[in-house]
């Protein structure tokens, strides 16, 4: 799933061969299931004393259901807040209205925009 997710986005600095085993070992990768069937994934990274960041949110195309991705993010955010974090953040592609609408419905709000530049050597 992570390889498919990575192929669909333009910004991600993690090699899935390293990132996924690290996230699993650290118990930071979560799979959302519906009736026993995995339908979405999400991970958390970037812990600070007060916050964490949710990322790698991905419902594979064959299970693409906004409700499943929404439920996965909401449950993970709730779990992280209940663990003592003051707030949870996530990065989203502003050009993709579907996840942005979902995140707003589950109480996330836009607080800023990030631009990424890649300065390649000539």
């Amino acid at each position: 799933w992570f390889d498919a997710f990575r192929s669909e986005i333009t910004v991600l600095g993690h090699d899935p061969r390293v990132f996924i085993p690290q996230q699993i070992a650290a118990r930071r990768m979560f799979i959302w299931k519906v009736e026993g069937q995995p339908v979405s994934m999400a991970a958390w990274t970037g812990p600070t004393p007060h916050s964490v960041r949710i990322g790698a949110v991905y419902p594979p195309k064959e299970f693409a259901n906004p409700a499943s991705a929404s439920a996965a993010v909401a449950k993970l955010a709730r779990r992280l807040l209940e663990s003592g974090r003051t707030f949870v953040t996530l990065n989203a592609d502003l050009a993709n209205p579907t996840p942005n609408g979902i995140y707003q419905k589950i109480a996330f709000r836009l607080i800023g925009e990030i631009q990424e530049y890649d300065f390649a050597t000539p």
Side-chain angles (χ1 to χ4, degrees), residues 1 19-20 23-33 38-45 52-60 68-69 71-73 75-80 83:
W1 286 5
F19 181 77
I20 295 294
Q23 293 304 93
I24 292 170
R27 302 184 57 81
R28 293 182 178 180
M29 179 63 66
F30 293 84
I31 303 296
W32 185 256
K33 295 180 180 181
V39 295
S40 188
M41 74 174 191
W44 67 270
T45 62
V52 294
R53 180 177 60 251
I54 293 178
V57 177
Y58 181 71
S68 293
V73 171
K75 179 68 174 184
L76 180 53
R78 186 175 316 115
R79 177 183 266 181
L80 293 166
S83 76

Side-chain angles (χ1 to χ4, degrees), residues 115-122:
Q115 297 264 336
E116 181 175 279
Y117 297 94
D118 184 10
F119 296 100
T121 55

Side-chain angles (χ1 to χ4, degrees), residues 10-120:
T10 58
V11 179
L12 189 62
H14 302 290
D15 179 340
R17 295 165 297 184
V18 175
F19 181 77
I20 295 294
Q22 286 175 340
Q23 293 304 93
I24 292 170
R27 302 184 57 81
R28 293 182 178 180
M29 179 63 66
F30 293 84
I31 303 296
W32 185 256
K33 295 180 180 181
V34 173
E35 297 178 5
Q37 175 70 45
V39 295
S40 188
M41 74 174 191
W44 67 270
T45 62
T48 73
H50 302 285
S51 72
V52 294
R53 180 177 60 251
I54 293 178
V57 177
Y58 181 71
K61 288 187 190 303
E62 64 269 23
F63 303 113
N65 177 342
S68 293
S70 175
V73 171
K75 179 68 174 184
L76 180 53
R78 186 175 316 115
R79 177 183 266 181
L80 293 166
L81 290 169
E82 289 171 353
S83 76
R85 302 296 180 183
T86 306
F87 60 96
V88 176
T89 64
L90 59 82
N91 295 336
D93 181 355
L94 293 177
N96 190 341
T98 301
N100 288 300
I102 290 169
Y103 298 146
Q104 290 175 22
K105 287 178 184 172
I106 58 173
F108 283 91
R109 62 185 174 89
L110 177 65
I111 59 170
E113 293 183 32
I114 297 171
Q115 297 264 336
E116 181 175 279
Y117 297 94
D118 184 10
F119 296 100

